[in-house]
Amino acid sequence: MSVSPVAISIGLLVCSNVFMTFAWYAHLKTMNHKPWVIAALVSWGIALFEYLLQVPANRIGYTVLSVGQLKVIQEVITLSVFVPFALFYLKEPLKLDYVWAALCLIGAVYFVFRSEMG
């Protein structure tokens, strides 16, 4: 059984986004007492792992998807990873704006893939 390039790309992008989210935001909780340059260097180190997953994800996905489709998928994954991170790791309150943003992304998915649906 072979796995589709879209599934591989999405799986790698999900993993990539976990690293990206930690690289971009975890220092706000764990390193807020350290100089920003230390946080930036640690974040850069974490981001390396993000790129090691993101670059092959986009290359694999681009074999069957357009760059616009890849970008919209990326944004949906970003919000899907960020919201639980913000709620559970950073203890941010759930905001109705997250729901509105998710609905906008559903619209984006529809429009970027609609020519292939019909």
Side-chain angles (χ1 to χ4, degrees):
M1 176 175 92
S2 66
V3 181
S4 77
V6 173
I8 293 169
S9 182
I10 288 172
L12 288 170
L13 287 172
V14 168
C15 295
S16 167
N17 264 272
V18 170
F19 282 106
M20 179 196 73
T21 302
F22 272 90
W24 283 22
Y25 302 106
H27 64 87
L28 298 174
K29 179 178 179 180
T30 60
M31 301 182 76
N32 58 356
H33 60 284
K34 300 223 184 259
W36 72 266
V37 71
I38 301 297
L41 290 171
V42 169
S43 293
W44 180 79
I46 296 168
L48 172 64
F49 294 104
E50 181 232 340
Y51 276 87
L52 291 174
L53 297 168
Q54 177 265 336
V55 170
N58 283 332
R59 284 179 173 232
I60 292 166
Y62 192 62
T63 64
V64 293
L65 299 167
S66 72
V67 71
Q69 290 170 327
L70 277 169
K71 182 60 180 170
V72 169
I73 289 170
Q74 171 67 32
E75 294 304 327
V76 169
I77 292 169
T78 296
L79 190 60
S80 299
V81 170
F82 175 76
V83 170
F85 176 86
L87 295 175
F88 299 114
Y89 186 79
L90 294 177
K91 308 291 188 213
E92 293 283 323
L94 179 61
K95 296 183 179 184
L96 194 54
D97 289 342
Y98 294 156
V99 175
W100 303 132
L103 290 173
C104 289
L105 285 173
I106 290 169
V109 169
Y110 168 74
F111 285 113
V112 81
F113 285 99
R114 74 179 169 159
S115 64
E116 287 149 29
M117 291 191 263

